[in-house]
Amino acid sequence: QVQLVESGGGLVQAGGSLRLSCAASGSIFSVYAVNWYRQAPGNQRELVATITSGGITNYADSVKGRFTISRDNAKNTVVLQMDSLKPEDTAVYSCNLRLDLGAVRGIRDYWGQGTQVTVSS
């Protein structure tokens, strides 16, 4: 069983920064893609940033140029650096590890508990 521990959420003023961390245990970390999702009350869960097992990154348009995802496989850790935060970034942010085993064997994924990010105006 994979366990994910998230940290770094909190309250910050607009224009400020937060650094979210996701530490994984009980997994072969390097083989997984890692995603950060966010969900605000009444909204659908949205994919914010992705980093593949090969280190390729992708971001939602709303956070491009402001957020940076990175991974340290030796430490089994993924970081989401969030700069120039806006009130609309307010949400619960969740770390997700995902391994695509193909159409036959399906997807293997694990989720962290989520961490609250609140950005005040």
Side-chain angles (χ1 to χ4, degrees), residues 21-116:
S21 295
C22 175
S25 62
S27 68
I28 306 174
F29 180 77
S30 62
V31 76
Y32 288 86
V34 181
N35 309 295
W36 282 97
Y37 288 83
R38 68 186 182 188
Q39 186 169 23
N43 292 341
Q44 296 291 110
R45 180 179 289 142
E46 300 177 330
L47 178 61
V48 175
T50 295
I51 185 165
T52 70
S53 60
I56 305 301
T57 60
N58 196 27
Y59 302 91
D61 288 341
S62 59
V63 307
K64 285 181 180 177
R66 301 188 298 118
F67 291 11
T68 303
I69 187 171
S70 61
R71 68 191 297 162
D72 186 340
N73 289 334
K75 297 181 178 179
N76 286 4
T77 300
V78 169
V79 167
L80 183 68
Q81 177 67 42
M82 306 187 297
D83 299 318
S84 302
L85 283 163
K86 305 174 181 180
E88 50 262 46
D89 295 320
T90 296
V92 174
Y93 285 71
S94 300
C95 176
N96 163 253
L97 270 62
R98 180 166 294 161
L99 178 62
D100 188 350
L101 297 174
V104 175
R105 293 197 286 172
I107 302 296
R108 181 178 299 174
D109 65 54
Y110 303 92
W111 293 86
Q113 79 283 358
T115 185
Q116 177 70 49

